[in-house]
Every structure is written in structure tokens, then in C-alpha cells.
Amino acid sequence: MAVWFSRSRTIGYCLRKKLGFFGLVGHESSCCFSPSFRHISSIRQIGGSYGNPNGFLNDSAIHFRSWRFESSTAETQLDPQYFQEEDDLNQGLDFPGGRVTFTSELRFISESGDKRVPCYRVLDDNGDPITHTSFAQVSKELAVKMYGDMVTLQMMDVVFYEAQRQGRISFYMSTTGEEAINIASAAALSSDDLVLPQYREPGVLLWRGFTLQDFADQCFGNKADCGKGRQMPVHYGSSKHNFFTVSSPIATQLPQAVGVAYSLKMDKKDACVVAYFGDGCSSEGDFHAGLNFAAVMEAPVVFICRNNGWAISTPIEEQFRSDGIVVKGRAYGIRSIRVDGNDALAVYNAIRTAREMAISEQIPVLVELLAYRVAHHSTSDDSSKYRPVDEIEYWKSSRNPVNRFRKWVERNGWWSDKEESELRSSVKKQLLKAIQVAEKTEKPPIAEIFTDVYDHPPPNLKEQEKVLREDIKRHPKDYPSDVSL
Amino acid sequence: MASSMSVSRRRFGRLLARISGSRRQFSSTTSSISIDDQQQQQAQPQPQPRSLNLYSAINQALHIALDSDPRAYVFGEDVGFGGVFRCTTGLADRFGKSRVFNTPLCEQGIVGFGIGLAAMGNRAIAEIQFADYIYPAFDQIVNEAAKFRYRSGNQFNCGGLTIRAPYGAVGHGGHYHSQSPEAFFCHVPGIKVVIPRSPRQAKGLLLSCIRDPNPVVFFEPKWLYRLSVEEVPEHDYMLPLSEAEVIREGNDITLVGWGAQLSIMEQACIDAEKDGISCELIDLRTLIPWDKETVEASVRKTGRLLISHEAPVTGGFGAEISASIVERCFLRLEAPVSRVCGLDTPFPLVFEPFYMPTKNKILDAIKATVNY
């Protein structure tokens, strides 16, 4: 970081404003990646006993154990944030949600806390566990699979991105910078948990066994694509892997996640719903709808926000004025935590704990993962047009989530350079083969234009199919030849 | 929308329902029983039909839907206590608050939630309190519900979703308690749009919509909630979707409409008959995918077509019907297709009588078309 800082003071100054809590500048004063001991101790408490729902505000307590349709007491104890010693606790107003005390002081609640909400992490920048940090033990087998999948995801991005640049596929979106979020969150879930993705979470599918060939088939839109070639690349979906199909509109999956979770709740399933979204998504109306519905319905949803700092070219300072996403949870009555998204063990730990809470207490939980979108938004975007290349480089090298996790795995004696090169060469071969096969596989037949609009094609679609087929006969050169009739 | 304002407006809406005017009389005699229904009734003896108004028929359908499928849910704003139009009366008491419940005041949340619930194999019956407030949910309906099956290659679907919404003029509903937004949704492949004209139709069609494996938007003519009364069979019956019904046979001109407007059109037909004009009246019932064949067959017989709806004429669904029938029956047509619809203005409170496609506007158009 020091190296990066010394490169350009001007940019550094700029970014102090721009980057907000990324904490690049003035590391010592940032509570983001160097939490004070008090914060660490409270985090340990969360790790050890997640019964305390209140995160870093350790000395207040909220209990959201009331079931739907019974009384919904919001807070059984008073939060020191909202009352002072001189307030008369006997003078109060019984109001739906619980007793509200009176105060004679004309006092507004501050628009922000004294400190930014700290960020939970397990590994330091060198991949060493932080002293005093407790975390769930990750076995060698699990750790190696996590690392292997992170590398695979990274390599898939490189190869598919290149395929797009060569004009072989029309579009692509990379996950670079968010490999730990993808893989470690997936690793913390059960395969029965239903995932409603945004679009930058292919690693969850990879973890669940969607093959590189499956990814390639979707990106090429061939007849092996389970989406039948109807959507742009990276709009994956697989019912087999409990992964709902990606749709481009932002945040629409959030209220849907509540409906899915409500069904799990009614069926008393030992599973939850996991809904992914980005920082930009939190500005959408559906974000509000989703979180509010989840809280009111007491639906077991883990909302995972990938706060990567950028919504295409819009930095988070132009997206919201709150301390990120994590603080919004409380306004909805949703337990929440902020986590270092570049620390695979922290992500794993936090999501695993959030999942347990969501299922055992039948409540939603919000997890904000801090990371950086090292990739361009998509292949249609050039992010150097709106952000300094140095900034990208810093996150790519100094804060690389894959390298950090590798250091930890290596230090445990679970990984070697030999294994690394074997993995990389094997994955590369698989990827190249997958692309070749996908490219040669024919497109879905033309009849698939008209199926699945409804359960059965109505007469207007049958008529349109007939007309189209006649048109193709008359003007075969107007249409792609690789789509079979 | 500001929530306190809209809540008060919605309460106002509840008053509207109570004191709705009596200008719009619906004759129950013309609501003929469908052939399917007759056959069903002959096949097994059923309890005697009861006289019911439209909201009670809807209520009965919801009771049957919840009773016949333990995976059916009813939810929306204020449905817990019975709904502002009383359509959900008694449901929460009978089926419990986990299956019949209020939601927060948020239409996009209601539909989004419904999509997720339906995607898990449930029958999600969502209520939007007024069709005028369905627009915040437009994205969820158009981009999500309608494409859920298609975009996943049939791996996922939300076919169990039915969205109920009261629509249309009510005498004094102004801009935001009167709209007929059906045409917006008729432009969306992947959903069905259904509008009943009477209590018996409402019960049978709603049960079909709830059980149809595709997402359906079901608009209920709120003017008729209390005004329209007819005998409704007690038992569980369904009426077919995408099948129009000829509710009055005639030879000189075909009239096509749906929902509350049919009662106005029927009065025009009766008056036209006095002038010796024989009108055929068709209830389209399902707007998409619509029954072109029945309309085409009728126009081939009569050689003339008139379409009437409350929604503004420009871009209304009447335009689609007109274009389709001209394509199919051009040489058979003896006059231009006539449209008697709402004006291209926002729905104007005190000017409602001017805005509406009234009986005499229709009657004049019938005469002009027949005498063309």
C-alpha cells in the first residue's frame, strides 16, 4: 500500500474522498481493516456465540424472536444510542412495537455513527490468522477445494474474456477481485440452500458442480445450454444446483428470495435462501421491498451484498450516503455484519454463521462483503475511463483474495508449487476443450423460440412459427445457418 | 408514493365501493351458463346455486382455492381482515394467518414475493388493492414473472402466480381509482390477462387462473363487486381460459368487450334491437392469449365489428383486435371497425360521464356502422 501511496499523492488524495471506507489512505486511522481490540473481541463473541445479534454494539441487545402474527416487540431493551441517563424511563408511551420513553431534550438521531462499522476478518494481508480471532476450523480437503475453485474461476474468467475479445462469444462478465466472495460463500452453504444470484456469482455454481463445459455451453448459447440459448452469456441457471436463473434487472431477485424462503419456512425445511446483490442494487426499490418483506415475514434469507465499490462507473459515494450497506439492516430490523470480502476464511465464517442463524431462528440476515471490482463491469465496459489504473492495480496485487488465501493454505502445508502448476495446466486444458466443444455444438433448434413462453404454445405462437418457417424457406440467406430447423 | 397519502386514498376507495352509483345496471339474465358448466352440473348433482354478488363469488373462489390446495396462499395489502373490497373475508380465520396475510404496502414486493413463492410450486394468489397501483410492480410482472419460464429454458417457472386487481370506473374514483391498465399487460408474452363480467364468470375464471400453470393477471370490475348479482353454483367449477363467449347472438354487427363494459354494451344491443338491428355480443374473457377464432367467426357472419373498452382508445386492446380482424376478414367487412372507448386523457373525476364509452355512444356507433 505504501508503494501505491507514494506513486501519486494527488490520486491518493482524490481517493481518500472517492474510495471512502476502502481505507487505502491513512491505514492507521481506518477502522475498516484494522479493527480495535474492542471490535475484535466483539467479533469473537459473534463467532463463538451468535446468539448475540447486535454485532459490534455489544452492550445493547435486540431480540427478534417473536413469530409472525404474534406481537412484534422490536426492542426489549433500550439502546444506549437512543436514550441518556436523564431520560425518564417511567415516562413513556405504549406504542405498537414496544414502549417508547419520553425525553425533554430536543435531539435528533445523528445521520451517522461515531465510527464506521468495522469489518470482520480472520486473515491479515499476509494470510496469517489474526491473533485473538476465532474461526471455524476448515479442513484440508475443504480448503484445497476452495482454493482450487478460486483458481479455476480466475482462469475461466481469463479464457472466456479472451474468447469474447476474439469475437467467439458476444459478451462476458468477470469475477476478478471477488473470487473469495464467490467460492467461500458457496462453501459455507448447504447444497439444499436455494441461491438467487445477481450476475457476478458464477463461483457459486462452480462450487456446486456446474462444469466448465456447462459454463461454456451457456456462453455460446448452444443446444446444450440449459437456458436454450435465450439469454446473454453469464445468465446461468440450474435447477439441479438450486441456482435460479440470472436475470439482468437489478434487485428483482430480492423480493423473490423472500417468497422462496417463505415456502421453505412453511415446509419447515432445514435450508435457507441466499440472495446475492451489489452495492448499486441497494438503491433500487426492490432492495427495500426485499429486505422489508424478509424482516416482516421472518423469512430465512441470507442477503449477501458484494460491495465492490462500483456500479459500472458510479462509485459508492454517488450511490448512497450511509456507511455502506450494513447499517441499512438495522433500519429494517435485520441483523447484519460487515466482512472483508477479500478474506476467504472471514467470508466462510460469516456466511456459515449467518446461515445457521437464518435457519435456526427463522430470520433474515444481511452480510456486507467489502471487496473491489477489479474487473471491468463487463466486456462492454472500459473501467480505466472512470477510475485510476493504479487503484485497480492496487486491489489486484496487494489485496488479491486468491493470493491471500493461498498463503494461508501453503503455510498449513496443504499446497505446493507443484500442485499449483498441475492444477493450472489441468484447468487450462479443460477450459480450452470446453470452448472448442461449445463452439462446435449446434444452436438450439428454431422450435425453441416458441416453447416455454407458456406451458404450451397458444395459437398465435403456432401461427407465428408457421409463418416464420415459410419465411426462412423463401429467404434462407437472411438467417443464421447454424440454427437447425 | 407517499404512504400516508396513499393509505388515505385507499380508505377512500373502500368508501367508493360502499356507495357506488346505480347508473350501471347489470342484467343477470344474459349471463348464460357456459356449456362446460352445464355439462358439469348435469354429470353430478350439486347444491342449488345461490344468488351472489361479484365480490362474494370471488371470495367463494378463494375459499375453494385454499381449501382444495394446501399449497395455496392469499396475500396483499389489508387482505388479512377481509380486504378493502371484502373479497378475502373469512379466509384468514379459516385457513390461518400463515396462509392468508397482510403484506407491507409495496406492490413490487407483493409481486416479487409471489413470484418466489410460486417458483417453489405454490399457488401464490396476490392482491393489488387497485389496478391503478399495479405500476410499481410492472417490472416484476413484465421482466420477471412473464420471462421466468422462458429465460430458464423451463427449468424454473412461476406459473402458480395469480395477481388479482380491481380495475375500472366506479362513478367517482378519479385518476387513481378508475384506471383500466389491461393493454399494458397484453403486450407481454408469458402472462395471461383475464377479466370476468359477472359473479358466475368471476368464480369459474378465477379458479382457472389460480390453477393455470402460467402467471395470470386477473382484473376484477370493481363497479360490479356489489351491483352485479346472479346465481352462482356453490361447487368447485372452472371456466376455460382463452375462450371467448358469445353472450348474445345476432346477425348485423359483432360487439366485442370484456368486464364491466359488457353490461353497457348489452344495453346498447337491446336498444339497437328496437331499431331492428341484431347485435352479436362477445365477451372476450381472456385478453391474452385471446380467442381470435370466435371473434373471426362472428365477424364473418355479421360483416361488422365494434369494440368497446373503458381504457383510452389509443393503444388500447381494441386496436389489436381491430387490426387482427381486419387482417383476417378484410373482404368480408362491410364497414370500418368501430371503437368506442375511453378518451385519451387521464381519468377525469367530475368529467367521468363524458369520458366513459356510454350506451348511447355505442348505440350511435352501431347505427353508423350498420348504415355505413
Side-chain angles (χ1 to χ4, degrees), chain B residues 24-223:
Chain B
R24 182 177 287 240
Q25 298 296 330
F26 191 88
S27 151
S28 62
T29 52
T30 54
S31 319
S32 60
I33 302 171
S34 77
I35 292 162
D36 282 7
D37 197 19
Q38 282 174 335
Q39 285 168 345
Q40 207 173 351
Q41 282 191 310
Q42 282 160 6
Q44 52 183 121
Q46 296 291 344
Q48 284 301 305
R50 268 203 306 152
S51 258
L52 285 185
N53 62 21
L54 197 141
Y55 87 73
S56 302
I58 298 278
N59 182 252
Q60 212 177 68
L62 294 175
H63 272 278
I64 289 170
L66 286 166
D67 188 44
S68 58
D69 187 347
R71 298 195 71 89
Y73 296 85
V74 170
F75 51 92
E77 292 156 19
D78 306 306
V79 304
F81 87 109
V84 298
F85 287 108
R86 312 309 299 148
C87 292
T88 54
T89 301
L91 296 175
D93 287 343
R94 182 171 165 202
F95 299 101
K97 288 178 174 179
S98 57
R99 290 181 65 200
V100 180
F101 48 89
N102 289 343
T103 62
L105 206 165
C106 178
E107 287 75 13
Q108 64 200 90
I110 293 169
V111 175
F113 175 87
I115 291 169
L117 192 59
M120 296 296 283
N122 302 294
R123 306 231 174 265
I125 308 165
E127 177 174 311
I128 300 293
Q129 204 161 75
F130 283 84
D132 311 65
Y133 303 133
I134 204 167
Y135 305 114
F138 202 62
D139 187 41
Q140 285 288 352
I141 297 171
V142 172
N143 271 330
E144 296 293 318
K147 298 169 177 61
F148 215 81
R149 187 195 297 274
Y150 195 75
R151 74 183 183 207
S152 71
N154 202 24
Q155 294 185 89
F156 299 97
N157 75 79
C158 63
L161 175 67
T162 302
I163 302 164
R164 299 176 38 243
Y167 87 98
V170 74
H172 35 267
H175 296 344
Y176 304 114
H177 297 87
S178 307
Q179 293 174 57
S180 301
E182 69 272 5
F184 292 111
F185 300 96
C186 292
H187 201 56
V188 185
I191 56 171
K192 296 186 175 181
V193 177
V194 177
I195 307 182
R197 70 171 185 274
S198 73
R200 178 194 291 272
Q201 291 287 316
K203 179 177 171 183
L205 288 172
L206 179 55
L207 281 166
S208 292
C209 292
I210 290 168
R211 292 160 179 169
D212 190 82
N214 300 286
V216 184
V217 182
F218 187 80
F219 288 116
E220 298 166 4
K222 62 178 172 289
W223 201 329

Side-chain angles (χ1 to χ4, degrees), chain B residues 316-339:
Chain B
F317 196 63
E320 176 59 35
I321 297 170
S322 170
S324 295
I325 294 305
V326 169
E327 277 172 1
R328 290 185 172 213
C329 309
F330 182 69
L331 292 175
R332 179 66 189 90
L333 284 172
E334 293 175 30
V337 176
S338 174
R339 287 181 291 160

Side-chain angles (χ1 to χ4, degrees), chain A residues 151-400:
Chain A
V151 170
T152 306
L153 183 59
Q154 237 177 14
M155 294 182 68
M156 180 172 86
D157 278 348
V158 170
V159 172
F160 284 13
Y161 185 87
E162 202 47 45
Q164 194 279 337
R165 283 296 180 250
Q166 292 167 3
R168 297 161 82 181
I169 57 176
S170 58
F171 176 84
Y172 192 68
M173 297 180 102
S174 302
T175 315
T176 322
E178 298 174 53
E179 297 90 342
I181 291 178
N182 266 257
I183 300 299
S185 66
L189 303 174
S190 145
S191 57
D192 292 334
D193 297 333
L194 290 133
V195 174
L196 278 82
Q198 185 164 298
Y199 45 66
R200 216 181 293 280
E201 301 90 8
V204 180
L205 262 180
L206 181 70
W207 179 266
R208 291 187 170 195
F210 202 70
T211 65
L212 295 178
Q213 190 62 56
D214 293 333
F215 284 110
D217 289 335
Q218 197 283 331
C219 287
F220 279 86
N222 62 31
K223 72 173 189 188
D225 165 21
C226 30
K228 303 187 184 175
R230 290 167 182 157
Q231 287 213 82
M232 288 171 77
V234 313
H235 290 60
Y236 312 111
S238 172
S239 55
K240 195 168 78 180
H241 297 102
N242 283 332
F243 189 95
F244 279 76
T245 305
V246 171
S247 75
S248 310
I250 298 297
T252 49
Q253 73 276 20
L254 300 185
Q256 294 170 11
V258 187
V260 175
Y262 193 77
S263 185
L264 295 179
K265 186 185 184 86
M266 289 297 107
D267 292 342
K268 298 186 168 54
K269 287 277 169 69
D270 183 24
C272 66
V273 173
V274 182
Y276 288 88
F277 60 101
D279 41 274
C281 173
S282 71
S283 300
E284 288 279 6
D286 273 338
F287 169 84
H288 163 70
L291 267 72
N292 193 41
F293 269 61
V296 173
M297 310 267 175
E298 292 171 3
V301 186
V302 179
F303 292 102
I304 301 182
C305 177
R306 300 176 292 97
N307 183 347
N308 64 21
W310 295 91
I312 304 189
S313 73
T314 305
I316 49 178
E317 295 76 20
E318 293 166 22
Q319 198 69 249
F320 42 70
R321 279 295 145 90
S322 58
D323 177 11
I325 311 299
V326 65
V327 295
K328 301 188 183 200
R330 182 171 231 199
Y332 290 108
I334 293 179
R335 203 174 292 169
S336 48
I337 187 172
R338 170 174 282 168
V339 179
D340 182 353
N342 285 1
D343 176 350
L345 281 186
V347 173
Y348 176 81
N349 231 8
I351 301 297
R352 215 174 81 131
T353 307
R355 174 185 186 272
E356 289 287 321
M357 285 177 190
I359 295 171
S360 65
E361 299 181 51
Q362 291 291 293
I363 51 163
V365 183
L366 170 64
V367 183
E368 180 186 32
L369 303 172
L370 301 187
Y372 186 82
R373 196 197 75 212
V374 171
H376 302 302
H377 167 70
S378 72
T379 47
S380 311
D381 173 46
D382 174 6
S383 65
S384 66
K385 291 264 193 289
Y386 51 78
R387 56 183 190 178
V389 176
D390 282 358
E391 177 189 315
I392 305 170
E393 196 49 44
Y394 165 75
W395 283 90
K396 196 173 172 181
S397 50
S398 302
R399 304 206 68 82
N400 188 309

Side-chain angles (χ1 to χ4, degrees), chain A residues 110-131:
Chain A
S110 171
E111 65 275 23
S112 58
D114 296 339
K115 291 177 184 169
R116 304 202 63 179
V117 175
C119 177
Y120 167 69
R121 72 172 180 174
V122 173
L123 299 178
D124 67 14
D125 289 352
N126 281 320
D128 282 320
I130 295 164
T131 335

